[in-house]
Amino acid sequence: MAAHPVDEKLPALKMATSGLQHVAAMHAGVVAPPLIVGAAVGLSATDLTFLTGACLFTAGLATFLQTLGIWKIGARLPFVNGVTFAGVAPMTAVVASTEDKSDALPIIFGAVVVAGLLGFVAAPFFSKAIRFFPPVVTGSVITLIGVSLLPVAFGWAQGPDPKADDYGSTTFLALAGITLLIVLLLRRFTRGFVKQIAVLLGLIVGTLVAIPFGVTDFSPVAHADVVGFPTPFHFGAPQFQLAAILSLCVVMVVSMTESTADMLALGEIVERPADERTIAAGLRADTLGSALSPLFNGFMCSAFAQNIGLVAMTRIRSRYVVATGGGFLVLMGLCPMAASLIAVVPRPVLGGAGIVLFGSVAASGIQTLMRAGLERDNNVLIVAVSLAVGIIPITAPGFYHAFPETAKIVLDSGISTGCVTAVVLNLLFNHLGKGREAHDVTHPMEAGEEIAAVH
């Protein structure tokens, strides 16, 4: 029997280029949190580079755990892991509340360790939520993931620094448009392998086009070291402070909710639906990767939804391709010069490619909703309200400004609030109560044909 596409091992060249494409798609998301937190701590340029390399290294290790797996750890799906952006706000809050800034990172690392271990223990219980995810819920959440990511691409398209005078200039937007056009033309007029690495080729060509405009900066390559290793506890041994631990535990719950939604989305796309066992194993990889990350000076790890769009668009479903991408991340953590090569790609070029990637996730969600029975009024209401709640943080960023900071960690995650809203409304409309017409409701816990088939 032929191997499922998820378990397929591709030729070496195809594996390498496709894996590199995944790294290019998620690189900016991995390096942003350490740059923000490191700047808040006041790290020197050398230490900031070290912290960024450490986060790349630990993202690679977490990706290995997720894709290759050991024991009951790892979803064994083409799932990229990296530093979750949900932790940036509470981590900078920890920095602000710490008098001696040299203690800030050890306090953060201690909180991440505890949150990761607690999440690891909770993973099998958390995974039981799968029965609350029929197509009307999963479709809403997958669509919301794509919609939530699109503003990231739009931000990249406008330039690297929102405070700069040229942010959103016609030059930046033109480079994003050119990259988008290149990807679309390659997808339309090429075949086979070239078509599958259209995003990578678009990033390369877009970077070359940007050179005459002075947007491509090669200085990181010139100043980067060839070899570097994230020495354990470089910034000091972990410290355990209750307030920081509670704050990062909230982030872990948010991260686990989003990872569950991402696994459901990816399972639909690769045609290996994520059942309860898969989600439990995936959450164990997320949480164990997070608990081990501070050992090498990294932060909390979570699934990267933007790479789901790449899988959806290229149809390369092999988990070994993503594991190869994890290998590149480890290499970049050990070789700062290699990491700097990816950093050369201008943000507007990334933004042009991101529009295709993130839009593909939303399109996958719409495909799932087509199976969700939207001819029923109940299901239309579920989709309408959950999407509306989920896009509040995007369309009205200050909507929850009056809430406590801890609550805003959850509320400012549109994926989490939209997911919870969809689950609750599905229970309310399709499960609770009596005396309804049979044709007006779906089965209360119907997980979809594919998930049911797994069981």
Side-chain angles (χ1 to χ4, degrees), residues 44-397:
S44 65
T46 302
D47 277 342
L48 198 58
T49 302
F50 181 93
L51 184 64
T52 303
C55 287
L56 289 167
F57 180 78
T58 54
L61 297 182
T63 299
F64 283 152
L65 271 180
Q66 195 66 266
T67 53
L68 303 179
I70 54 172
W71 185 57
K72 296 181 179 181
I73 301 169
R76 293 170 174 82
L77 290 171
F79 216 37
V80 177
N81 273 44
V83 181
T84 174
F85 208 89
V88 170
M91 286 191 293
T92 52
V94 169
V95 174
S97 64
T98 305
E99 290 186 14
D100 186 350
K101 299 305 179 188
S102 63
D103 289 333
L105 285 176
I107 290 172
I108 290 171
F109 292 148
V112 171
V113 169
V114 174
L117 293 175
L118 291 176
F120 186 85
V121 173
F125 306 100
F126 206 92
S127 67
K128 294 185 184 300
I130 181 66
R131 65 183 187 273
F132 300 111
F133 286 83
V136 68
V137 174
T138 56
S140 300
V141 174
I142 296 169
T143 303
L144 195 53
I145 291 171
V147 171
S148 297
L149 287 171
L150 280 171
V152 177
F154 301 150
W156 289 345
Q158 295 179 82
D161 184 5
K163 297 179 181 178
D165 293 336
D166 60 353
Y167 185 70
S169 67
T170 54
T171 299
F172 288 154
L173 297 182
L175 288 173
I178 290 170
T179 305
L180 174 60
L181 181 62
I182 292 168
V183 173
L184 293 176
L185 291 175
L186 288 172
R187 292 290 298 177
R188 174 63 182 85
F189 295 107
T190 61
R191 295 182 179 180
F193 181 52
V194 174
K195 182 176 182 178
Q196 290 177 323
I197 62 168
V199 172
L200 181 60
L201 294 175
L203 292 174
I204 293 172
V205 176
T207 301
L208 295 175
V209 170
I211 292 176
F213 295 94
V215 177
T216 307
D217 181 12
F218 290 97
S219 61
V221 180
H223 299 294
D225 294 329
V226 177
V227 179
F229 183 77
T231 312
F233 305 130
H234 174 80
F235 296 100
Q239 299 179 26
F240 302 97
Q241 188 185 87
L242 183 59
I245 290 171
L246 291 175
S247 181
L248 269 296
C249 281
V250 173
V251 175
M252 179 58 73
V253 172
V254 173
S255 174
M256 291 173 75
T257 303
E258 293 186 356
S259 287
T260 299
D262 290 340
M263 278 184 268
L264 291 168
L266 187 59
E268 294 280 345
I269 290 168
V270 302
E271 297 177 356
R272 179 182 277 183
D275 58 8
E276 184 178 318
R277 183 181 302 175
T278 300
I279 290 176
L283 292 177
R284 288 191 188 100
D286 270 7
T287 52
L288 181 61
S290 295
L292 295 176
S293 186
L295 172 65
F296 298 103
N297 313 284
F299 298 138
M300 187 179 293
C301 294
S302 180
F304 265 54
Q306 49 263 57
N307 292 78
I308 297 175
L310 190 56
V311 174
M313 194 187 77
T314 64
R315 303 304 295 168
I316 297 177
R317 295 175 277 180
S318 171
R319 60 192 174 101
Y320 297 104
V321 163
V322 175
T324 302
F328 280 120
L329 288 170
V330 170
L331 176 63
M332 290 162 66
L334 298 176
C335 178
M337 184 172 286
S340 67
L341 289 173
I342 296 293
V344 165
V345 179
R347 286 293 175 88
V349 173
L350 278 174
I355 291 171
V356 180
L357 298 179
F358 306 157
S360 296
V361 178
S364 297
I366 294 170
Q367 287 179 326
T368 303
L369 287 174
M370 292 171 64
R371 302 187 285 102
L374 294 186
E375 70 278 1
R376 304 174 180 125
D377 288 343
N378 287 351
N379 287 346
V380 171
L381 285 173
I382 293 169
V383 175
V385 176
S386 58
L387 288 180
V389 171
I391 65 172
I392 286 175
I394 302 171
T395 56

